[in-house]
């Protein structure tokens, strides 16, 4: 993957100033520190397993329908009551 930075200082005489030249900078690979527990659903239930930091499924976040509603202030209040 790459990150882009704008380099307008490289404009030459006669170049259109509205033209933007981008330099691509490689991004470092990043990993989660420590032990990682992967939570997932299997046959209608939740499962957990330790996974290595290079586990491919950690490269994306899949949202479940209840992920946001389970973490509202109301849910925390009811859990602590």
């Amino acid at each position: 993957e790459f990150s882009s930075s704008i380099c307008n200082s490289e404009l030459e005489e006669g170049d259109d100033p509205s033209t933007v030249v981008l330099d691509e900078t490689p991004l470092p690979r990043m990993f989660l520190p420590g032990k990682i527990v992967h939570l997932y659903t299997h046959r209608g239930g939740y499962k957990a397993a330790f996974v290595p930091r290079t586990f491919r499924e950690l490269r994306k976040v899949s949202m479940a329908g209840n992920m946001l509603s389970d973490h509202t202030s109301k849910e925390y209040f009811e859990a602590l009551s």
Side-chain angles (χ1 to χ4, degrees):
E1 296 191 23
F2 289 90
S3 156
S4 298
S5 58
I6 299 174
C7 291
N8 278 334
S9 61
E10 296 179 9
L11 286 178
E12 296 179 7
E13 188 176 331
D15 284 347
D16 182 357
S18 65
T19 301
V20 178
V21 178
L22 299 178
D23 280 339
E24 290 186 349
T25 306
L27 297 175
R29 291 187 70 187
M30 301 179 79
F31 297 98
L32 299 170
K35 290 185 177 184
I36 302 164
V37 178
H38 177 57
L39 303 173
Y40 60 98
T41 57
H42 180 73
R43 297 185 181 175
Y46 289 102
K47 296 264 188 176
F50 284 106
V51 295
R53 64 186 186 143
T54 55
F55 187 57
R56 192 164 190 78
E57 292 296 316
L58 297 176
R59 293 183 183 183
K60 63 182 178 192
V61 176
S62 300
M63 296 290 289
N66 62 341
M67 283 180 137
L68 296 176
S69 63
D70 283 354
H71 296 277
T72 63
S73 299
K74 178 183 172 195
E75 295 294 326
Y76 285 126
F77 179 76
E78 290 176 358
L80 294 171
S81 297

